[in-house]
Amino acid sequence: MDVNRGKINSPENFFFKCSSCGDSYKISLKDFILKELPKLLQTDSDKLKEFYKKGNLKFYQKHYQKQVINALQFRKAMGKIESGTMICFRENIHVIMGFPKIRRTLVLSEAIEKHFKDEIAVEEKMNGYNVRIASLDGEIIAFTRGGYVCPFTTRKAPEILDLDDFFGDNPDLVICGEMLGTENPYVSHYYPEIGKLGFRIFDIREKLTNKPLTVEERRYMMDKYDLPSVRLFGVYSVDEAPQKILELVRKLGKDGREGVVMKDPKMQIPPLKYTSSQAHDDELIYAFSFPFDLGKAFLFSRVIREGFQAHEMGESAEEIDERAQRLGKSILYPMLETIKHVSENGVAGEDLIMEVDDPEEADEFVRHLRDLGVMAMVLKFEDGKAVIRRIHQSTTDKISNYLQGGLY
Ligand code: ATP
Ligand code: MG
């Protein structure tokens, strides 16, 4: 039996065609999970059953532009199967593996030596949101990190990138990249070369195996298909890399940029990330604009990163003082502004701007955000742009309460 020829019409109805005899037969979702999925993912059927029972593996259905995408979604990682992995049922079954987590180093000199072999490719880490783009039998679909079909990205990616030739020749590859710019509705960050909306590719992987192309193969492909890549700063020996990266990251920070990702050129060792002081502060500024929603989760790790970076950079008393002031200001000022804002307007929220063709697209995006558990509403639609207000409820409620004398 050839699982690649499975079809699904509803959660209860899969139709499979036997690769040898050509007969089709029906199989339920439950049987698919118990009998076919273990073979496909080379994993244990009991584990999958347990995962499904607990809701960590879920049936997922998305209506998108008069089409229906049926899939199974991994809400959590299961061994080597990353969280965000999608088993998509179209003409064929497509397994789009989740994008692996990238671990962070706090001290470059020691970690690089321990982690890598002779050489490392140093690329720019860009600050936007992670997207996997795949062709599902000719239909180009963009998935968020968690494995949700993003209606905005699915519409925009083919407008920004010329993907037809790439996927025409390579239907079994997945493009992993970062959606960037001030008018992307998840992470708004200004890059002079990007402006409102842009995309940079940092990985190409195989469906099902999640095997990445080497850095060289990927860059060759990007050239061949004229697709935009993240910057490669250079390939350095393990000995020279820490010093080079420290200088680079200092400079990137001053330019308001996030940092670097270090990669084994052969992509056999997992990459590592390292970020600038200014990036840490930017995240704190964002988190402390909504302190009761984000503050706790962000604070400790960013302060720790600053401590180790200041140590490794061997800064002068003056430089450390500058860092300390910037850190403190990034925490206190945004919070103060939000307290003032809530005292005057009663709500802590942020406005996202996105380009849409009609109000329905904005509504569709708001529905998508609600699926992700984010409270949002369309504030206005004008000249092809929608303003979407995202409400931060805990910050709104708590600040209002304390302002009225509530006890902490
Ligand atoms: P993670 O689970 O990977 O730690 P995170 O949400 O904490 O995710 P980040 O701290 O932004 O994410 O770091 C990892 C992310 O950086 C990747 O998932 C990817 O979206 C993004 N990224 C930007 N530039 C690159 C690059 N050159 N190579 C790899 N990833 C990159
Ligand atoms: Mg990021």
Side-chain angles (χ1 to χ4, degrees):
M1 168 160 159
D2 179 0
V3 283
N4 283 323
R5 308 203 48 195
K7 276 192 185 179
I8 180 174
N9 297 353
S10 80
E12 295 314 315
N13 281 317
F14 286 83
F15 289 93
F16 280 93
K17 220 176 209 161
C18 173
S19 49
S20 41
C21 65
D23 284 352
S24 18
Y25 64 92
K26 204 163 119 175
I27 166 173
S28 68
L29 181 68
K30 191 172 147 227
D31 277 349
F32 176 79
I33 292 170
L34 292 180
K35 292 179 186 152
E36 301 305 333
L37 200 53
K39 283 189 259 168
L40 189 60
L41 300 178
Q42 297 184 349
T43 184
D44 195 70
S45 117
D46 287 343
K47 266 198 204 151
L48 284 168
K49 189 173 148 194
E50 192 57 27
F51 233 56
Y52 187 71
K53 252 197 195 156
K54 284 193 178 145
N56 296 330
L57 173 65
K58 271 202 127 158
F59 182 73
Y60 173 89
Q61 191 168 57
K62 177 81 182 173
H63 293 264
Y64 174 74
Q65 290 186 349
K66 295 187 193 137
Q67 296 190 52
V68 188
I69 294 161
N70 292 305
L72 277 166
Q73 179 186 47
F74 278 84
R75 297 270 178 104
K76 280 199 176 153
M78 195 181 109
K80 281 203 184 115
I81 306 162
E82 306 280 350
S83 153
T85 293
M86 296 295 278
I87 322 294
C88 303
F89 306 103
R90 301 285 290 180
E91 258 316 285
N92 297 292
I93 293 181
H94 300 263
V95 179
I96 317 296
M97 284 291 182
F99 188 80
K101 187 168 178 54
I102 300 181
R103 303 210 44 200
R104 174 182 295 278
T105 109
L106 291 179
V107 179
L108 288 164
S109 54
E110 302 302 321
I112 285 178
E113 202 189 321
K114 265 208 174 125
H115 190 80
F116 291 104
K117 281 196 229 130
D118 349 304
E119 285 191 322
I120 48 178
V122 179
E123 283 184 347
E124 176 159 15
K125 179 178 195 305
M126 296 196 80
N127 184 15
Y129 64 96
N130 181 300
V131 174
R132 282 165 290 150
I133 307 173
S135 165
L136 309 183
D137 300 313
E139 201 67 46
I140 294 173
I141 301 288
F143 297 91
T144 64
R145 192 83 194 273
Y148 293 84
V149 172
C150 173
F152 174 77
T153 320
T154 300
R155 188 158 39 79
K156 283 291 172 192
E159 283 176 31
I160 303 177
L161 309 166
D162 194 352
L163 296 167
D164 291 342
D165 288 349
F166 177 87
F167 283 124
D169 293 347
N170 308 285
D172 291 327
L173 294 180
V174 179
I175 289 181
C176 311
E178 199 86 346
M179 189 64 106
L180 300 155
T182 50
E183 288 188 9
N184 87 59
Y186 300 100
V187 179
S188 165
H189 185 90
Y190 176 71
Y191 285 103
E193 75 276 29
I194 302 276
K196 290 178 181 162
L197 198 65
F199 197 83
R200 292 290 181 268
I201 294 164
F202 49 70
D203 230 343
I204 298 181
R205 289 172 178 264
E206 282 175 17
K207 281 179 187 165
L208 189 59
T209 65
N210 218 13
K211 187 170 170 277
L213 298 191
T214 67
V215 172
E216 200 183 354
E217 284 164 351
R218 161 164 49 93
R219 300 193 78 87
Y220 168 79
M221 290 277 255
M222 300 293 84
D223 271 357
K224 181 172 168 193
Y225 293 99
D226 200 19
L227 291 167
S229 190
V230 288
R231 277 199 284 177
L232 173 67
F233 291 117
V235 180
Y236 304 110
S237 74
V238 161
D239 293 340
E240 62 181 337
Q243 210 45 48
K244 290 265 188 219
I245 294 169
L246 282 176
E247 279 163 34
L248 197 60
V249 166
R250 214 182 269 133
K251 166 93 176 51
L252 287 171
K254 287 199 173 120
D255 293 341
R257 304 178 79 99
E258 192 182 15
V260 298
V261 180
M262 298 154 259
K263 299 180 178 176
D264 166 23
K266 296 201 180 90
M267 291 295 285
Q268 284 166 355
I269 303 170
L272 293 180
K273 61 191 177 192
Y274 187 77
T275 46
S276 69
S277 174
Q278 288 79 359
H280 307 153
D281 287 348
D282 282 349
E283 289 181 343
L284 286 172
I285 290 170
Y286 178 64
F288 278 84
S289 302
F290 311 107
F292 294 105
D293 291 270
L294 307 170
K296 246 191 204 157
F298 275 64
L299 182 67
F300 186 70
S301 58
R302 273 62 180 185
V303 174
I304 292 297
R305 292 176 203 168
E306 283 298 277
F308 281 94
Q309 186 169 89
H311 171 74
E312 187 170 27
M313 284 190 172
E315 294 181 335
S316 66
E318 222 169 87
E319 285 168 323
I320 293 180
D321 207 54
E322 187 268 331
R323 191 188 280 273
Q325 294 220 23
R326 204 158 28 77
L327 177 67
K329 287 177 181 170
S330 305
I331 298 167
L332 197 59
Y333 286 149
M335 185 164 74
L336 214 53
E337 219 168 278
T338 301
I339 295 173
K340 181 165 179 279
H341 186 84
V342 173
S343 77
E344 289 164 0
N345 305 282
V347 178
E350 59 180 311
D351 291 348
L352 326 162
I353 301 168
M354 64 192 288
E355 212 175 79
V356 285
D357 293 332
D358 52 57
E360 167 50 26
E361 278 179 14
D363 289 338
E364 186 187 33
F365 189 75
V366 164
R367 284 197 298 275
H368 164 71
L369 286 180
R370 292 204 183 133
D371 287 349
L372 306 180
V374 171
M375 192 158 112
M377 64 190 85
V378 181
L379 210 60
K380 65 175 183 194
F381 170 75
E382 217 173 74
D383 301 330
K385 280 198 180 148
V387 180
I388 289 170
R389 176 155 297 172
R390 175 174 175 184
I391 306 291
H392 291 273
Q393 200 60 51
S394 294
T395 299
T396 302
D397 294 348
K398 291 226 160 108
I399 291 183
S400 307
N401 178 32
Y402 298 136
L403 283 172
Q404 286 161 30
L407 301 179
Y408 186 71

